[in-house]
Amino acid sequence: MIRLASWIVFSLAVTALIAWVISLPGTMTVAVGGFVAQPRLGAAVLLVVALVVVIIFVRSIIRRILSAPRAMGRRGRERRRERGIAALSEAVIALHAGEPGHARDLAREARQHLPTNAAAQWLEARAHLALGDMSAAREQYRALIGNDRTALAALSWTKRIARPSDVLTVGQ
């Protein structure tokens, strides 16, 4: 009820303002390309305000059209990131549920969507380890040890691999 009353009061105030502006005495001369017009001052003010509103509206439409490719690219990157995070979390669940093959596939998918995410690489190495694929696990752990951010986590799991010395020789 208060909103309705506020809206009515606001619209009455705007209408009174418009009526006052239109009733202003005087004229304005506008000459454009041989065409001369002499509208009343109030009408000229309203026309100028309407012209400004139209210019702002057209500018916003043009700006939205020009920024569409950037917005679409950003949305594509966000969607790719969301898919990678979903695959990563499903891989964690699959690994803990005892499905290492499915976890490895999901971790590979997560690495495709999130190439710089070390957690996906570490999860893939854990899945290889759970599957018993020691050579693939060693390669993954070597890559993890080579990264300063993941070296500690990778080294803590190397004791589960049959030959940790193979993993620790990064230079090969």
PDB file of all heavy atoms in Angstrom, residues 31-47:
ATOM      1  N   ALA A  31      18.334  26.225 -35.806  1.00  0.00           N
ATOM      2  CA  ALA A  31      18.538  26.250 -37.253  1.00  0.00           C
ATOM      3  C   ALA A  31      19.470  25.110 -37.630  1.00  0.00           C
ATOM      4  O   ALA A  31      20.619  25.059 -37.212  1.00  0.00           O
ATOM      5  CB  ALA A  31      19.135  27.581 -37.678  1.00  0.00           C
ATOM      6  N   VAL A  32      18.967  24.179 -38.433  1.00  0.00           N
ATOM      7  CA  VAL A  32      19.759  23.021 -38.854  1.00  0.00           C
ATOM      8  C   VAL A  32      19.567  22.842 -40.352  1.00  0.00           C
ATOM      9  O   VAL A  32      18.449  22.576 -40.822  1.00  0.00           O
ATOM     10  CB  VAL A  32      19.314  21.736 -38.104  1.00  0.00           C
ATOM     11  CG1 VAL A  32      20.077  20.529 -38.618  1.00  0.00           C
ATOM     12  CG2 VAL A  32      19.478  21.888 -36.619  1.00  0.00           C
ATOM     13  N   GLY A  33      20.664  23.014 -41.105  1.00  0.00           N
ATOM     14  CA  GLY A  33      20.649  22.740 -42.549  1.00  0.00           C
ATOM     15  C   GLY A  33      19.575  23.505 -43.308  1.00  0.00           C
ATOM     16  O   GLY A  33      18.884  22.929 -44.133  1.00  0.00           O
ATOM     17  N   GLY A  34      19.364  24.759 -42.995  1.00  0.00           N
ATOM     18  CA  GLY A  34      18.367  25.544 -43.716  1.00  0.00           C
ATOM     19  C   GLY A  34      16.977  25.437 -43.106  1.00  0.00           C
ATOM     20  O   GLY A  34      16.063  26.136 -43.503  1.00  0.00           O
ATOM     21  N   PHE A  35      16.804  24.584 -42.154  1.00  0.00           N
ATOM     22  CA  PHE A  35      15.513  24.423 -41.482  1.00  0.00           C
ATOM     23  C   PHE A  35      15.561  25.209 -40.185  1.00  0.00           C
ATOM     24  O   PHE A  35      16.459  25.034 -39.381  1.00  0.00           O
ATOM     25  CB  PHE A  35      15.248  22.938 -41.216  1.00  0.00           C
ATOM     26  CG  PHE A  35      13.996  22.675 -40.434  1.00  0.00           C
ATOM     27  CD1 PHE A  35      12.755  22.786 -41.031  1.00  0.00           C
ATOM     28  CD2 PHE A  35      14.061  22.311 -39.098  1.00  0.00           C
ATOM     29  CE1 PHE A  35      11.611  22.547 -40.314  1.00  0.00           C
ATOM     30  CE2 PHE A  35      12.923  22.070 -38.373  1.00  0.00           C
ATOM     31  CZ  PHE A  35      11.686  22.190 -38.992  1.00  0.00           C
ATOM     32  N   VAL A  36      14.591  26.064 -39.952  1.00  0.00           N
ATOM     33  CA  VAL A  36      14.552  26.891 -38.756  1.00  0.00           C
ATOM     34  C   VAL A  36      13.282  26.548 -37.983  1.00  0.00           C
ATOM     35  O   VAL A  36      12.180  26.506 -38.541  1.00  0.00           O
ATOM     36  CB  VAL A  36      14.557  28.400 -39.111  1.00  0.00           C
ATOM     37  CG1 VAL A  36      14.448  29.252 -37.864  1.00  0.00           C
ATOM     38  CG2 VAL A  36      15.801  28.755 -39.887  1.00  0.00           C
ATOM     39  N   ALA A  37      13.472  26.275 -36.687  1.00  0.00           N
ATOM     40  CA  ALA A  37      12.326  25.978 -35.818  1.00  0.00           C
ATOM     41  C   ALA A  37      12.423  26.863 -34.586  1.00  0.00           C
ATOM     42  O   ALA A  37      13.512  27.168 -34.108  1.00  0.00           O
ATOM     43  CB  ALA A  37      12.330  24.516 -35.422  1.00  0.00           C
ATOM     44  N   GLN A  38      11.257  27.259 -34.089  1.00  0.00           N
ATOM     45  CA  GLN A  38      11.215  28.086 -32.880  1.00  0.00           C
ATOM     46  C   GLN A  38      10.221  27.477 -31.890  1.00  0.00           C
ATOM     47  O   GLN A  38       9.118  27.985 -31.698  1.00  0.00           O
ATOM     48  CB  GLN A  38      10.816  29.522 -33.207  1.00  0.00           C
ATOM     49  CG  GLN A  38      11.882  30.280 -33.924  1.00  0.00           C
ATOM     50  CD  GLN A  38      11.514  31.733 -34.113  1.00  0.00           C
ATOM     51  OE1 GLN A  38      10.350  32.084 -34.204  1.00  0.00           O
ATOM     52  NE2 GLN A  38      12.530  32.577 -34.166  1.00  0.00           N
ATOM     53  N   PRO A  39      10.634  26.369 -31.237  1.00  0.00           N
ATOM     54  CA  PRO A  39       9.719  25.774 -30.248  1.00  0.00           C
ATOM     55  C   PRO A  39       9.726  26.593 -28.960  1.00  0.00           C
ATOM     56  O   PRO A  39      10.640  27.377 -28.702  1.00  0.00           O
ATOM     57  CB  PRO A  39      10.309  24.386 -30.022  1.00  0.00           C
ATOM     58  CG  PRO A  39      11.757  24.546 -30.299  1.00  0.00           C
ATOM     59  CD  PRO A  39      11.855  25.597 -31.382  1.00  0.00           C
ATOM     60  N   ARG A  40       8.691  26.398 -28.155  1.00  0.00           N
ATOM     61  CA  ARG A  40       8.661  27.049 -26.850  1.00  0.00           C
ATOM     62  C   ARG A  40       9.782  26.486 -26.003  1.00  0.00           C
ATOM     63  O   ARG A  40      10.266  25.374 -26.226  1.00  0.00           O
ATOM     64  CB  ARG A  40       7.313  26.807 -26.180  1.00  0.00           C
ATOM     65  CG  ARG A  40       6.190  27.513 -26.926  1.00  0.00           C
ATOM     66  CD  ARG A  40       4.918  27.336 -26.215  1.00  0.00           C
ATOM     67  NE  ARG A  40       5.095  27.737 -24.804  1.00  0.00           N
ATOM     68  CZ  ARG A  40       4.217  28.419 -24.104  1.00  0.00           C
ATOM     69  NH1 ARG A  40       3.101  28.769 -24.657  1.00  0.00           N
ATOM     70  NH2 ARG A  40       4.442  28.731 -22.851  1.00  0.00           N
ATOM     71  N   LEU A  41      10.204  27.207 -25.038  1.00  0.00           N
ATOM     72  CA  LEU A  41      11.358  26.833 -24.223  1.00  0.00           C
ATOM     73  C   LEU A  41      11.126  25.508 -23.497  1.00  0.00           C
ATOM     74  O   LEU A  41      12.001  24.649 -23.458  1.00  0.00           O
ATOM     75  CB  LEU A  41      11.676  27.952 -23.226  1.00  0.00           C
ATOM     76  CG  LEU A  41      12.985  27.801 -22.459  1.00  0.00           C
ATOM     77  CD1 LEU A  41      14.153  27.697 -23.430  1.00  0.00           C
ATOM     78  CD2 LEU A  41      13.193  28.950 -21.510  1.00  0.00           C
ATOM     79  N   GLY A  42       9.961  25.328 -22.941  1.00  0.00           N
ATOM     80  CA  GLY A  42       9.656  24.084 -22.222  1.00  0.00           C
ATOM     81  C   GLY A  42       9.678  22.872 -23.125  1.00  0.00           C
ATOM     82  O   GLY A  42      10.208  21.813 -22.787  1.00  0.00           O
ATOM     83  N   ALA A  43       9.096  23.025 -24.317  1.00  0.00           N
ATOM     84  CA  ALA A  43       9.105  21.916 -25.275  1.00  0.00           C
ATOM     85  C   ALA A  43      10.522  21.608 -25.725  1.00  0.00           C
ATOM     86  O   ALA A  43      10.892  20.438 -25.906  1.00  0.00           O
ATOM     87  CB  ALA A  43       8.216  22.262 -26.465  1.00  0.00           C
ATOM     88  N   ALA A  44      11.333  22.661 -25.893  1.00  0.00           N
ATOM     89  CA  ALA A  44      12.728  22.439 -26.298  1.00  0.00           C
ATOM     90  C   ALA A  44      13.501  21.689 -25.215  1.00  0.00           C
ATOM     91  O   ALA A  44      14.294  20.784 -25.512  1.00  0.00           O
ATOM     92  CB  ALA A  44      13.393  23.776 -26.609  1.00  0.00           C
ATOM     93  N   VAL A  45      13.263  22.039 -23.956  1.00  0.00           N
ATOM     94  CA  VAL A  45      13.942  21.333 -22.858  1.00  0.00           C
ATOM     95  C   VAL A  45      13.531  19.863 -22.841  1.00  0.00           C
ATOM     96  O   VAL A  45      14.371  18.964 -22.697  1.00  0.00           O
ATOM     97  CB  VAL A  45      13.636  22.022 -21.504  1.00  0.00           C
ATOM     98  CG1 VAL A  45      14.079  21.161 -20.342  1.00  0.00           C
ATOM     99  CG2 VAL A  45      14.297  23.384 -21.440  1.00  0.00           C
ATOM    100  N   LEU A  46      12.238  19.599 -23.004  1.00  0.00           N
ATOM    101  CA  LEU A  46      11.780  18.204 -23.026  1.00  0.00           C
ATOM    102  C   LEU A  46      12.355  17.442 -24.220  1.00  0.00           C
ATOM    103  O   LEU A  46      12.704  16.265 -24.095  1.00  0.00           O
ATOM    104  CB  LEU A  46      10.257  18.148 -23.032  1.00  0.00           C
ATOM    105  CG  LEU A  46       9.587  18.528 -21.718  1.00  0.00           C
ATOM    106  CD1 LEU A  46       8.090  18.468 -21.849  1.00  0.00           C
ATOM    107  CD2 LEU A  46      10.054  17.604 -20.599  1.00  0.00           C
ATOM    108  N   LEU A  47      12.463  18.100 -25.363  1.00  0.00           N
ATOM    109  CA  LEU A  47      13.058  17.452 -26.534  1.00  0.00           C
ATOM    110  C   LEU A  47      14.537  17.143 -26.297  1.00  0.00           C
ATOM    111  O   LEU A  47      15.024  16.072 -26.693  1.00  0.00           O
ATOM    112  CB  LEU A  47      12.891  18.325 -27.775  1.00  0.00           C
ATOM    113  CG  LEU A  47      11.484  18.371 -28.368  1.00  0.00           C
ATOM    114  CD1 LEU A  47      11.430  19.360 -29.530  1.00  0.00           C
ATOM    115  CD2 LEU A  47      11.062  16.992 -28.814  1.00  0.00           C
TER     116      LEU A  47
END
